[in-house]
Amino acid sequence: MEKKIRALYEEWLENAVDDAALTEELKSVAGSDDDIYDRFYRSLEFGTAGLRGVLGAGTNRMNIYTVRVATQGLANYLKKHYSESSVSISYDSRINSPLFADEAARVLAANGIKVHLSKELQPTPVVSYAVRYFKSQAGIMVTASHNPSKYNGYKCYGSDGCQMTDNAANEVYSEIQKLDCFKDVKLIGMKDALDSGLIEYIGDEFYESYLEKVEEQSIRKGICEGSDLKVVYTPLNGAGNKLVRKILDRTGVKDVHIVKSQELPDGNFPTCPYPNPEIREALEEGLKVCEEVKPDLLLATDPDSDRVGIAVPDGDGYRLMTGNETGIMLTDYILKSRIELGTLPKDPVMVKTVVTSVLVDRVAANYGVEVKNVLTGFKYIGEQILLLEQKNEENRYVFGFEESYGYLAGSYVRDKDAVVASMLIAEMAAYYKKQGKSLVEVINGLYAQYGFYKNITLSFEFDGASGMETMKNIMENLRNFKSDEMAGYKITRHADYLLQFDKNYETGEEKKIDLPKSNVLSFFLENGNAIIVRPSGTEPKIKIYFTGVGKDEQDAVNTANGLIDYVKNSGVFFPEA
């Protein structure tokens, strides 16, 4: 083991004394070079999504010291750019989330920076709203989104309520790298900070303001009243419990059944080790309740309540809708309704990510609505709202979503919001229920109208110190791929978002991609099929997005499965296969 890593370990063993659990962990790995290496071979990087990592001791872990030093770096950045500043902070239900929020607040207060701090856990979009409400210069949300329970994280926002930009994040990271996490961090006691007013707890009037803004996004106000809509809701032991239930009640959804085993905050997520509403395992407890109460809709929000998944009745069981399918239905419902009601603005815009189903583009085009395609990450959707706001045209934005179950209507926040999404999904379900239609009938009708698209996303994990290198090699191999076909289909178009080119093989035209550089590769195949590859920015995994198009549902499924088989077994994507 490198002397530098051993020295880091010894330094932490001597100085990391504020947390007894960390001290015990460091002592427990004393005889294991591999364990020490994994904890200290790198420091968690601060990016546009802030920090994220496994909980534990070391520079490559989430703990009070990595949180403190990151916050000191943020404080130094703020002091360089503002004579006075404030930061809004909240947290979700994860292990140590309240502790990390308090530690961040103490560091900021010690630097003379005002903190607006949540008294209890809140959904992530609440922080985006708080930044704008309090006119803060930054925001911090302690969360690891839908990662397994061993993770936690620290998400940062800029003064506009959007996730921090690349330039700002790079500047904060540069400040962090100058610091020693034990010697260079300022800290003040919580009582002293509260007494001095440097830390102030956020009051109830703020949450009322947020709910009012959410309620303003209702498309058909009052549609839920008299619909007898029955809903099962699970917050997956996360932060959505109070606000999602409040907004459903306020908009007329009174028959709501809570999944008791997942109602209260619990960072161990005992009933779903991977609390992600994208996967069936997370919804199993909710589906059991559905069997008993026979609802029209199952809603499941992730731990920080910025994503929502749904299941709806289908024959004798319940069908889990994908993020694409829910977004496609919401797009159609919102645009159709706003045209009918005369509330669609002039030159309307909706925004989606490049890995989100192209079926959305076809639906929007049918209503004469412009679609802006942006890089993966809701910050890029928020950025488009900001650009419109700068031209005093934010009312043109009508809806945005990404296939990973994140949705936003309205410009009151600049991040995905499961509170407003839950309200709109329930509203949509009530609208169609009054017409005698289920959401399964709705999505099938859209497929019949526009074509059958099967979108499947698979994740391939690469853990440990060698995982990042493996992922890098896979992407490099794909960049060097030389062929005019994949899986038996001609490649019609290829886009590389890192090298920023988009080449049409049918016309020979090549154009520059006018988006920030991102490690994403898209292979567009004949018949509308596609394979898109990107490493996750927050987890050690590569995500691959498959689009299979067919003459009917089964044909589309077969096509998508054929693409998946090719990726897994051809050796092109994973040479060791």
Side-chain angles (χ1 to χ4, degrees):
M1 185 168 57
E2 296 175 29
K3 288 183 179 179
K4 181 181 177 183
I5 292 175
R6 172 59 70 175
L8 260 178
Y9 168 72
E10 297 292 347
E11 181 186 0
W12 274 64
L13 198 59
E14 180 181 351
N15 293 290
V17 295
D18 291 350
D19 188 323
L22 294 186
T23 303
E24 288 306 308
E25 181 182 338
L26 288 167
K27 290 178 180 178
S28 72
V29 299
S32 174
D33 286 353
D34 287 346
D35 283 332
I36 293 172
Y37 180 79
D38 191 47
R39 285 164 172 77
F40 291 97
Y41 80 94
R42 67 168 191 148
S43 295
L44 290 179
E45 289 189 17
F46 186 97
T48 56
L51 300 172
R52 190 174 299 185
V54 173
L55 289 157
T59 57
N60 187 34
R61 295 288 189 270
M62 281 294 298
N63 52 66
I64 60 172
Y65 302 102
T66 50
V67 166
R68 286 175 182 175
V69 75
T71 309
Q72 184 64 55
L74 175 64
N76 291 350
Y77 162 81
L78 290 172
K79 287 191 286 187
K80 276 188 175 181
H81 289 273
Y82 304 97
S83 56
E84 288 186 18
S85 58
S86 73
V87 178
S88 297
I89 302 179
S90 192
Y91 56 92
D92 68 4
S93 64
R94 288 185 172 273
I95 296 166
N96 287 344
S97 278
L99 171 64
F100 293 164
D102 283 355
E103 292 297 297
R106 291 172 63 203
V107 172
L108 291 166
N111 283 273
I113 296 170
K114 172 85 174 186
V115 176
H116 300 281
L117 179 64
S118 292
K119 286 181 182 177
E120 60 180 6
L121 76 170
Q122 297 294 343
T124 283
V126 167
V127 171
S128 177
Y129 185 68
V131 169
R132 296 167 62 78
Y133 181 90
F134 292 111
K135 296 180 171 56
S136 294
Q137 283 62 54
I140 297 170
M141 176 68 187
V142 181
T143 178
S145 187
H146 55 282
N147 283 43
S149 59
K150 66 180 180 179
Y151 284 86
N152 210 332
Y154 175 111
K155 193 173 181 180
C156 269
Y157 292 85
S159 59
D160 51 13
C162 293
Q163 279 188 56
M164 193 167 271
T165 64
D166 292 323
N167 289 339
N170 289 338
E171 197 174 337
V172 172
Y173 187 46
S174 177
E175 292 293 335
I176 295 168
Q177 289 179 301
K178 299 173 187 176
L179 302 171
D180 181 293
C181 68
F182 299 115
K183 299 174 183 174
D184 299 329
V185 176
K186 296 180 181 179
L187 206 60
I188 188 175
M190 180 61 80
K191 185 178 185 305
D192 290 341
L194 288 166
D195 289 346
S196 68
L198 280 165
I199 296 176
E200 186 176 305
Y201 287 118
I202 296 172
D204 293 342
E205 67 281 358
F206 163 80
Y207 299 105
E208 177 59 27
S209 172
Y210 166 78
L211 285 170
E212 287 174 0
K213 290 293 183 185
V214 172
E215 198 168 358
E216 284 175 12
Q217 312 314 316
S218 174
I219 306 299
R220 294 179 178 271
K221 298 187 188 304
I223 190 71
C224 293
E225 295 170 8
S227 68
D228 295 323
L229 188 74
K230 184 184 290 187
V231 174
V232 167
Y233 170 58
T234 171
L236 296 180
N237 300 115
N241 190 32
K242 287 188 176 181
L243 292 184
V244 170
R245 291 169 74 169
K246 281 182 179 179
I247 200 64
L248 291 176
D249 182 69
R250 287 169 73 138
T251 53
V253 183
K254 304 295 185 179
D255 193 358
V256 179
H257 300 256
I258 306 303
V259 179
K260 291 298 181 183
S261 61
Q262 297 175 335
E263 179 180 15
L264 300 179
D266 188 338
N268 292 299
F269 309 114
T271 61
C272 55
Y274 199 73
N276 183 351
E278 297 180 54
I279 61 174
R280 188 178 187 91
E281 179 190 21
L283 274 64
E284 288 291 356
E285 292 290 300
L287 291 169
K288 290 176 186 175
V289 178
C290 288
E291 290 174 7
E292 297 172 17
V293 304
K294 308 297 182 188
D296 302 294
L297 179 67
L298 166 64
L299 291 169
T301 54
D302 70 342
D304 65 326
S305 197
D306 60 355
R307 302 170 191 254
V308 59
I310 71 171
V312 296
D314 186 15
D316 294 331
Y318 282 78
R319 172 173 166 177
L320 275 62
M321 292 287 181
T322 67
N324 275 314
E325 289 176 326
T326 301
I328 289 162
M329 288 190 293
L330 282 171
T331 298
D332 183 72
Y333 168 71
I334 290 169
L335 299 184
K336 173 175 62 181
S337 297
R338 293 192 67 172
I339 287 172
E340 179 189 326
L341 298 168
T343 60
L344 194 67
K346 184 183 178 184
D347 301 322
V349 172
M350 72 162 294
V351 191
K352 74 175 189 66
T353 60
V354 294
V355 298
T356 297
S357 177
V358 294
L359 181 50
V360 182
D361 301 72
R362 297 193 61 189
V363 172
N366 186 48
Y367 293 109
V369 175
E370 178 186 359
V371 175
K372 290 185 179 293
N373 282 279
V374 297
L375 294 175
T376 305
F378 219 89
K379 63 187 174 186
Y380 296 111
I381 296 176
E383 182 181 52
Q384 291 300 314
I385 304 173
L386 175 62
L387 292 172
L388 290 170
E389 182 185 46
Q390 289 170 346
K391 297 186 289 184
N392 201 28
E393 297 177 357
E394 66 266 30
N395 68 311
R396 290 176 57 201
Y397 170 80
V398 290
F399 187 55
F401 84 96
E402 56 187 3
E403 48 70 46
S404 54
Y405 295 57
Y407 315 93
L408 176 65
S411 60
Y412 62 102
V413 296
R414 300 297 158 81
D415 208 344
K416 52 190 175 285
D417 187 352
V419 182
V420 77
S422 295
M423 178 190 77
L424 288 173
I425 291 166
E427 180 180 310
M428 176 175 67
Y431 169 75
Y432 286 115
K433 182 174 182 179
K434 285 185 172 181
Q435 297 177 21
K437 292 176 70 175
S438 71
L439 292 184
V440 168
E441 290 174 304
V442 172
I443 191 63
N444 287 342
L446 291 170
Y447 284 142
Q449 180 178 355
Y450 295 102
F452 286 85
Y453 287 71
K454 184 64 177 178
N455 298 104
I456 298 174
T457 304
L458 295 182
S459 295
F460 299 87
E461 296 194 19
F462 303 90
D463 286 330
S466 64
M468 301 302 287
E469 189 66 26
T470 302
M471 289 164 58
K472 178 183 174 184
N473 291 337
I474 287 170
M475 296 303 290
E476 191 174 321
N477 288 338
L478 284 173
R479 280 200 166 82
N480 295 324
F481 177 69
K482 305 296 182 187
S483 178
D484 61 358
E485 65 90 22
M486 271 189 172
Y489 298 97
K490 281 186 178 179
I491 300 174
T492 58
R493 208 176 112 226
H494 171 50
D496 187 324
Y497 291 84
L498 187 62
L499 302 182
Q500 294 188 302
F501 72 81
D502 186 335
K503 183 171 182 179
N504 188 315
Y505 286 90
E506 295 181 317
T507 64
E509 179 188 8
E510 183 172 321
K511 60 184 180 181
K512 185 178 185 298
I513 293 173
D514 189 23
L515 292 170
K517 290 184 178 183
S518 183
N519 195 10
V520 180
L521 294 170
S522 297
F523 299 93
F524 299 97
L525 313 176
E526 59 185 326
N527 301 337
N529 304 311
I531 301 174
I532 302 175
V533 189
R534 75 170 185 94
S536 170
T538 56
E539 302 169 85
K541 62 174 62 173
I542 284 180
K543 288 189 172 184
I544 304 184
Y545 306 81
F546 302 88
T547 299
V549 183
K551 61 182 182 293
D552 55 34
E553 182 179 7
Q554 191 56 54
D555 189 30
V557 169
N558 291 342
T559 301
N561 286 337
L563 297 176
I564 292 169
D565 183 65
Y566 172 81
V567 164
K568 286 182 174 179
N569 301 310
S570 67
V572 171
F573 286 73
F574 306 112
E576 69 276 10

